[in-house]
Amino acid sequence: MMAKRTKAEAQVTRENILAAAADVFDAKGVAGASLAQIADQASVTRGAIYWHFRNKMEIFAALQEQMHQSIIEIVLADLENDHPRPLQQLQELCVKLLTDLETDSQKRKTISIFFLKCDYSGKMEVFLRRQQDNKQKNIELFERYLDRAKRKGHLRPEADSRVLTLSLLFYLTGTVYEYLRGPSLFSLAEVAPALMNQFFQGITSPS
């Protein structure tokens, strides 16, 4: 029983370190952040950090994987539902992903780090390649919605599911980037439904 509690406590410590690292990376940038600052923010010793992570880059990698997995889990769970209108299902998912970014400060902070607070040159280049691998997985999952829609006759027969998926990805990425650069300019909760409706109106078959 004690071992189980210790394992659970270690997991809590690890999550606290990651949350603290997100705060420090957001404030200082990845290059300007130090393990000492992360330890102070998490109220733990440097030794506690080394128990879980060898260095700052491992912490960054863990944040990257945590964010990717959270999105993958949402999409995979959604795909389990064979929705009668896959485009509507995908539209609602996109609205949720965008509005979550505004309502979940930790998620917003973490994504802001990946978009705005790090330089992917030198030793960081490996993380850019990892991002591209993760993006490819996301493309494949999103494309499944469009393939379903095409089979159900909700897309024009000549529609290219991969091109439409890439278009949607670019649309979402641009929206997220502009929001992170100027969150005071617009509210995602207010504009996301209209933005997504505009996009999906343009690809839905009129029949």
Side-chain angles (χ1 to χ4, degrees):
M1 186 68 78
M2 179 63 73
K4 288 184 178 179
R5 283 202 300 270
T6 301
K7 184 176 181 180
E9 290 168 358
Q11 182 62 26
V12 169
T13 299
R14 185 180 188 277
E15 294 301 319
N16 286 342
I17 291 170
L18 289 176
D23 289 338
V24 176
F25 289 156
D26 185 54
K28 305 288 185 180
V30 176
S34 69
L35 288 180
Q37 292 167 334
I38 294 171
D40 287 344
Q41 183 70 21
S43 299
V44 300
T45 64
R46 288 276 295 273
I49 289 183
Y50 285 125
W51 179 263
H52 295 279
F53 305 101
R54 287 181 298 180
N55 50 46
K56 183 173 69 174
M57 294 299 94
E58 274 203 358
I59 296 176
F60 183 85
L63 280 173
Q64 188 180 52
E65 182 62 18
Q66 184 184 67
M67 177 56 62
H68 174 64
Q69 284 303 315
S70 70
I71 295 173
I72 290 293
E73 288 170 8
I74 291 170
V75 176
L76 284 175
D78 195 50
L79 281 167
E80 287 294 315
N81 173 22
D82 186 16
H83 198 286
R85 302 196 65 82
L87 290 180
Q88 178 186 336
Q89 182 186 16
L90 180 55
Q91 180 176 340
E92 291 171 355
L93 172 68
C94 291
V95 171
K96 172 179 170 49
L97 292 174
L98 288 175
T99 54
D100 280 355
L101 186 61
E102 185 165 64
T103 58
D104 188 328
S105 61
Q106 192 65 24
K107 185 176 294 185
R108 180 172 65 253
K109 192 177 300 179
T110 304
I111 292 181
S112 179
I113 292 165
F114 302 142
F115 272 69
L116 305 175
K117 304 298 176 70
C118 62
D119 176 4
Y120 289 103
S121 60
K123 292 181 179 179
M124 292 294 290
E125 189 176 354
V126 64
F127 297 107
L128 183 59
R129 292 197 298 270
R130 193 172 298 170
Q131 270 192 22
Q132 298 306 312
D133 291 341
N134 290 339
K135 190 175 294 183
Q136 182 60 41
K137 294 174 185 175
N138 292 338
I139 289 170
E140 291 168 1
L141 287 177
F142 275 43
E143 192 172 358
R144 287 168 59 181
Y145 290 93
L146 291 159
D147 285 338
R148 287 180 180 180
K150 194 168 184 178
R151 288 195 299 270
K152 292 176 184 289
H154 301 160
L155 289 175
R156 292 181 175 85
E158 69 276 11
D160 187 318
S161 297
R162 175 53 63 100
V163 171
L164 290 177
T165 302
L166 290 174
S167 299
L168 176 58
L169 175 66
F170 301 154
Y171 194 71
L172 287 170
T173 301
T175 300
V176 170
Y177 181 73
E178 292 302 329
Y179 174 72
L180 292 175
R181 281 176 59 90
S184 63
L185 296 178
F186 61 92
S187 164
L188 281 175
E190 292 177 1
V191 305
L195 285 172
M196 288 298 101
N197 187 58
Q198 184 74 30
F199 180 89
F200 282 94
Q201 274 188 344
I203 68 172
T204 303
S205 172
S207 58

